[in-house]
Amino acid sequence: MTEQNTAITPYENYKKIVNYANSPEVMDIFAQVLGREAPHYVQSAIMAVKMNERLMECTPRSIFNAALRAATLRLSCDPSLGHAFLVPYKNKGIAEASFQPGWKGIQHMALRTGKYDYINVSDLWNGEEVEEDRITGDIHIVGEPKHPKVSIGLIASFRLLAGLKKSIYMSNEELEAHGAKYSKSYSRSDSIWKTNKRVAYHKTIVLKLLRNYGYISPLEASILSEDEQSEISDLNMPKIEDVTIIEKPKLSKAEINRSLGLDDDEEIIDGKFVDDIPEFVVQPESEVVVEQVKSNGNKWARPMPPEVLKEALQIKSAKANPATDKQINLTRVLLLEHFADREDERHQAQEYLTGHKSFKDIEPEMISAILDWMKPEKATDGSGAYVLGKDAKVELTMVARKFMEDLGQQTLAI
């Protein structure tokens, strides 16, 4: 087996990435740096890969070299936090991943030194101007924003607990000029300077403020780079052929049934309980079957985008019967199994779709609607386990990507 992956489909390579991550050799390296926190950091990298098909194409070794670099800075790769990102790029024709700190991660690194009272970044709006006191260096905003408000620059500020405070202002033009001068990938069409200027602007001004006037641990400051595509050093991650792949044991049918709260002689038939869960149907005006093809122009055709799925579940739950204990157990297990150790991602998806982060707070009627939407089916591996229907899997991935877009992560996926 080699790291050349040009002929491997993204999903097949994703499985190799997960197996590589869970190998004793990789876990041992992360444990040397992070101790007991190692599994959390490894899982945050796996989550980032799962949410980005371009990362699925990258070599496992490069992904976890980049993740380990983030780990040495105690920055999670969990996209929901925005502390650090794994960015795919081409290295001599091979897809690899590089480490990129987010501006929130840089701010987090500074705050955890314990020396800051606050660090803040805010917009300067059209109609406003900044005035600087030439004696104290303090910045003041004068004027009133015009409507509609348009950001014309950023102000970054901090105050140390010792009393020192500093603010700097950079106009959008100055931020752009800074990127053109210092970022090696500035002119690339897939650079964040082209795809997500706001993220690039925030990172630029926070770095300039803290490097010139603030305090970051010297070791951490030496690792940070102006360039979002900086080269990564070899952190001695093993080659993929040198790791030990450990297969997870499969549960017996009886064990699966017990985990679902079912008796040994009970089972799910064709994705439904024997008491016949109704088909997933929404009725905004007239009864519409969700599975109709999109070519019919049907809003409810699957797979549905996140906002439509949320609306469909709300409509369905308003007319659904409360879920039984067995249905609740099955729904809980399916969600836990789908998201595995990615609890933050599961909580975010639950909150977006139901309004509740915790599963125990979701109304029984909504759980009925969710289970009906999931359409669980028997796994094809012969284990007797049940998994989400293919449409539900796609739709949960789309929900996860919505979080990426909100955080600017999708546009960072070069």
Side-chain angles (χ1 to χ4, degrees):
M1 188 185 300
T2 67
E3 289 190 286
Q4 181 74 24
N5 65 350
T6 54
I8 301 174
T9 64
Y11 181 68
E12 289 173 335
N13 202 51
Y14 169 71
K15 291 189 290 185
K16 295 185 189 309
I17 291 167
V18 173
N19 287 336
Y20 179 89
N22 290 323
S23 67
E25 292 84 359
V26 170
M27 281 294 185
D28 181 62
I29 291 174
F30 275 85
Q32 291 178 38
V33 176
L34 300 162
R36 290 188 213 174
E37 297 180 1
H40 168 75
Y41 277 83
V42 171
Q43 288 303 317
S44 76
I46 292 175
M47 181 189 303
V49 173
K50 185 178 179 65
M51 296 170 68
N52 186 333
E53 287 188 1
R54 292 290 303 279
L55 281 173
M56 290 184 190
E57 300 173 355
C58 295
T59 63
R61 190 184 189 193
S62 72
I63 289 170
F64 288 95
N65 269 337
L68 187 59
R69 188 176 181 191
T72 60
L73 298 174
R74 295 301 194 275
L75 298 179
S76 172
C77 297
D78 184 341
S80 66
L81 298 179
H83 284 179
F85 301 105
L86 304 178
V87 182
Y89 72 105
K90 291 291 186 180
N91 181 16
K92 298 179 180 178
I94 297 176
E96 294 190 344
S98 66
F99 159 78
Q100 178 186 324
W103 73 269
K104 290 182 180 179
I106 297 168
Q107 179 175 298
H108 177 70
M109 289 166 53
L111 289 172
R112 71 184 180 211
T113 64
K115 297 181 180 293
Y116 289 85
D117 183 22
Y118 68 80
I119 303 172
N120 187 53
V121 179
S122 59
D123 291 280
L124 187 76
W125 304 107
N126 54 328
E128 296 178 329
E129 295 181 357
V130 293
E131 290 184 350
E132 182 178 4
D133 187 313
R134 286 181 290 173
I135 296 176
T136 65
D138 289 342
I139 284 179
H140 304 281
I141 300 175
V142 297
E144 295 291 335
K146 296 180 180 179
H147 297 283
K149 292 197 297 186
V150 177
S151 178
I152 59 174
L154 294 175
I155 299 172
S157 309
F158 74 76
R159 183 170 66 200
L160 296 178
L161 293 175
L164 174 67
K165 61 180 181 178
K166 181 63 180 178
S167 299
I168 62 172
Y169 167 71
M170 295 182 72
S171 68
N172 290 347
E173 291 76 17
E174 290 172 326
L175 289 163
E176 201 73 28
H178 184 98
K181 182 175 181 179
Y182 292 104
S183 175
K184 295 178 182 177
S185 61
Y186 174 83
S187 60
R188 289 177 47 178
S189 61
D190 53 5
S191 165
I192 62 168
W193 287 93
K194 308 302 179 186
T195 62
N196 196 330
K197 288 186 182 295
R198 186 164 182 83
V199 169
Y201 287 177
H202 271 73
K203 179 180 173 182
T204 296
I205 197 167
V206 169
L207 270 176
K208 183 172 183 178
L209 173 71
L210 298 181
R211 279 181 167 161
N212 291 342
Y213 305 102
Y215 177 84
I216 298 181
S217 161
L219 175 61
E220 294 178 342
S222 68
I223 297 176
L224 292 176
S225 170
E226 289 276 0
D227 180 34
E228 71 273 4
Q229 276 286 97
S230 60
E231 294 295 324
I232 60 173
S233 59
D234 188 352
L235 295 174
N236 298 318
M237 295 303 293
K239 295 180 180 179
I240 192 168
E241 59 264 29
D242 294 334
V243 302
T244 305
I245 303 301
I246 299 177
E247 297 289 343
K248 292 184 177 180
K250 294 180 180 179
L251 298 178
S252 67
K253 183 176 179 180
E255 289 172 324
I256 293 166
N257 279 339
R258 283 196 293 272
S259 73
L260 300 179
L262 301 173
D263 297 329
D264 287 347
D265 59 349
E266 288 184 285
E267 62 177 311
I268 303 166
I269 301 174
D270 295 331
K272 298 182 287 184
F273 279 101
V274 292
D275 60 355
D276 194 24
I277 300 171
E279 290 299 311
F280 189 68
V281 175
V282 293
Q283 297 175 309
E285 296 177 357
S286 60
E287 191 175 59
V288 182
V289 180
V290 179
E291 286 82 349
Q292 284 181 280
V293 296
K294 288 187 178 296
S295 60
N296 290 341
N298 179 18
K299 173 182 179 180
W300 312 107
R302 303 188 73 172
M304 293 178 282
E307 62 275 8
V308 176
L309 171 59
K310 181 177 182 180
E311 180 184 356
L313 287 172
Q314 290 172 342
I315 294 171
K316 178 65 176 177
S317 66
K319 302 182 180 183
N321 294 322
T324 66
D325 288 343
K326 292 175 184 178
Q327 292 169 342
I328 292 172
N329 284 338
L330 174 61
T331 306
R332 175 180 59 82
V333 170
L334 286 171
L335 286 170
L336 289 172
E337 179 66 23
H338 176 77
F339 288 104
D341 295 328
R342 308 185 312 279
E343 292 189 6
D344 289 343
E345 185 181 345
R346 175 170 59 85
H347 290 158
Q348 289 169 337
Q350 289 172 178
E351 183 177 31
Y352 176 78
L353 294 174
T354 73
H356 301 290
K357 274 191 174 182
S358 175
F359 182 83
K360 65 182 177 61
D361 295 330
I362 302 175
E363 298 83 359
E365 294 80 6
M366 176 59 78
I367 291 178
S368 287
I370 291 173
L371 184 57
D372 207 4
W373 155 66
M374 286 177 167
K375 296 201 177 299
E377 55 192 29
K378 286 187 178 181
T380 58
D381 58 8
S383 65
Y386 293 94
V387 296
L388 295 180
K390 61 180 181 180
D391 285 327
K393 289 180 182 178
V394 171
E395 287 158 346
L396 279 178
T397 299
M398 293 168 70
V399 170
R401 286 179 177 172
K402 177 176 174 57
F403 298 130
M404 290 193 333
E405 292 169 358
D406 292 343
L407 293 166
Q409 168 67 354
Q410 186 173 26
T411 49
L412 289 174
I414 298 174

